[in-house]
Amino acid sequence: MATGYVWHELYGWHDTSSHAGLLPPSLIMQPYHHFESPESKQRFHSLLEVCGLIDHLTRIEPKQASDEDILRIHTPEHLARIKAESATMRGGDAGDGTSPFGPQGFEIAALAAGGSIAALNAVLAGDVTNAYALVRPPGHHARPETGMGFCIFANAAIAIAQAKAANPDLRVATVDWDVHHGNGTQAAFCDDPTVLTISLHQDDLFPRNSGAIEERGEGAGLGYAINVPLPAGTGNEGYAYAMDTVVIPALRRFSPDVIVVPSGFDASCFDPLGRMSVTASGYRVMTRQLMDVAEDVCAGRIMMTHEGGYSPTYVPLCGVTVLSEMSGVPVDVIHELYASFDTMPEQTLNDYQRSAVDRAAAAVSFA
Ligand code: 3YP
Ligand code: ZN
């Protein structure tokens, strides 16, 4: 059993400018760092090295996704605009004013999509059992015609579309545990019954009015999009219950050939952009839950591709913990001061969380 791992130094060079959190540099607020800064991801990679886990992983080299790869999901206009802005000395924005990129940002965004492609191909080829693509910029909000929410290209969707171009019979399920709704991945496959998209997210956080239980796919894909909006505050037990009650049964029924996880660690108890309470051990449990079902239905094949997560100190602990579980290499990077968050009251499943999950479960129906 081998676990693949993608990282490229250029992922840390994606330049989100001197925004003050979300605000473009101006005199409205003192310029600072964009929320989507390199820190959480570069430090995740650094901790993998220092704790030694990286020596047990199979490095996978990303290369830039081709225009053809990107155009399987995105419009020619979107690709052309990103390229044109990227070729200027000031860079540009992927579409909503909060998704900046620097000069040559296109090349890095294409390398992020290419990292997801490389990881998925390594899993499908059997070179590794599972893989984690620690890419940047993220992708799960990007829609065919535009980027948004810090995302430029839809990394996970581009990887899936590439794999399905090579093998049209491939059946893929996505499980997006980023705290925000995986709207872009859902949109890419909304009418496709061969790609089941599942998103667990904080109810109506971002994008607003997106990811309700009632969003279930369209046309031939009706039923093949599943949304599990969870109340703000949900912790480890609530997430495990959602996995057990909605995600795992749906995966067993759909029986994909591979599970793709847009993986954000912004549902953590330390995240500045989410109001959830998941700890590193909660992410380990969810990883185990996915591995158990993957072993039963698809020979363990899982590819995770990195999305959000904005705590520079806690994202690395979540990431290393997930990779420890995926690889079966026992690594414990959780100091007792951090472990104490596992036993706080917000970790307990409460009645309104249970009923939110049960409502999502009741809406699931596909052939
Ligand atoms: C985009 C603008 C406000 C919230 C932000 C969410 C980015 C993210 O982590 N998406 O998964
Ligand atoms: Zn997010």
Side-chain angles (χ1 to χ4, degrees):
M1 179 180 113
T3 293
Y5 173 63
V6 174
W7 167 254
H8 194 291
E9 191 57 28
L10 285 177
Y11 294 153
W13 294 20
H14 166 51
D15 182 3
T16 47
S17 171
S18 47
H19 284 222
L22 297 175
L23 295 181
S26 77
L27 300 189
I28 293 173
M29 197 194 295
Q30 183 182 355
Y32 186 56
H33 306 291
H34 193 283
F35 278 121
E36 208 293 296
S37 82
E39 288 296 328
S40 63
K41 298 158 198 193
Q42 248 168 358
R43 290 168 54 94
F44 173 0
H45 173 74
S46 299
L47 187 63
L48 274 176
E49 289 214 351
V50 171
C51 79
L53 180 53
I54 201 159
D55 300 330
H56 300 268
L57 305 177
T58 302
R59 286 296 287 265
I60 299 167
E61 278 306 314
K63 60 180 177 53
Q64 279 188 33
S66 66
D67 287 3
E68 186 187 8
D69 292 330
I70 293 166
L71 291 170
R72 286 195 192 93
I73 297 297
H74 293 288
T75 61
E77 292 74 19
H78 178 55
L79 175 60
R81 190 178 65 76
I82 298 298
K83 278 187 178 176
E85 291 184 11
S86 170
T88 67
M89 278 174 55
R90 37 188 18 183
D93 185 280
D96 60 355
T98 70
S99 310
F101 55 86
Q104 297 186 281
F106 164 74
E107 280 81 353
I108 306 179
L111 194 64
S116 299
I117 290 173
L120 184 55
N121 284 347
V123 169
L124 293 174
D127 300 340
V128 295
T129 304
N130 53 33
Y132 198 103
L134 178 52
V135 300
R136 182 169 175 268
H140 72 151
H141 296 309
R143 290 185 294 149
E145 71 287 356
T146 188
M148 63 182 286
F150 316 162
C151 303
I152 300 176
F153 298 133
N155 304 325
I158 288 169
I160 293 166
Q162 181 272 162
K164 287 180 68 67
N167 175 7
D169 294 334
L170 193 74
R171 292 162 53 77
V172 182
T174 68
V175 180
D176 185 324
W177 65 33
D178 186 283
V179 78
H180 304 100
H181 179 224
N183 64 298
T185 319
Q186 175 180 297
F189 304 108
C190 69
D191 60 0
D192 186 344
T194 70
V195 180
L196 174 68
T197 61
I198 307 176
S199 180
L200 303 165
H201 45 267
Q202 183 180 323
D203 188 10
D204 202 13
L205 178 60
F206 183 86
R208 297 305 306 273
N209 300 308
S210 184
I213 289 172
E214 293 72 28
E215 288 181 26
R216 300 175 52 240
E218 287 161 27
L222 186 64
Y224 294 90
I226 297 175
N227 282 294
V228 190
L230 297 165
T234 302
N236 291 344
E237 281 189 17
Y239 270 84
Y241 182 69
M243 293 289 287
D244 275 334
T245 308
V246 186
V247 179
I248 302 302
L251 291 174
R252 289 197 185 279
R253 189 133 54 88
F254 184 75
S255 193
D257 299 309
V258 61
I259 298 170
V260 172
V261 180
S263 168
F265 296 122
D266 42 13
S268 92
C269 57
F270 289 98
D271 201 89
L273 290 185
R275 303 275 75 85
M276 304 304 238
S277 310
V278 179
T279 68
S281 68
Y283 282 107
R284 185 189 283 279
V285 168
M286 291 198 282
T287 303
R288 186 72 250 164
Q289 289 171 302
L290 289 176
M291 289 172 73
D292 285 344
V293 64
E295 275 156 27
D296 289 344
V297 307
C298 56
R301 288 190 283 267
I302 298 175
M303 189 282 277
M304 299 200 189
T305 184
H306 198 78
E307 299 287 353
Y310 306 100
S311 167
T313 48
Y314 201 63
V315 165
L317 303 186
C318 297
V320 167
T321 300
V322 165
L323 270 159
S324 163
E325 192 65 30
M326 288 176 81
S327 62
V329 178
V331 186
D332 185 1
V333 289
I334 312 300
H335 186 279
E336 62 183 72
L337 287 171
Y338 280 98
S340 73
F341 286 78
D342 291 340
T343 54
M344 288 182 178
E346 66 265 33
Q347 300 305 341
T348 308
L349 177 68
N350 66 33
D351 289 344
Y352 62 89
Q353 292 163 358
R354 180 190 298 273
S355 74
V357 170
D358 290 348
R359 266 182 278 125
V364 174
S365 76
F366 57 87

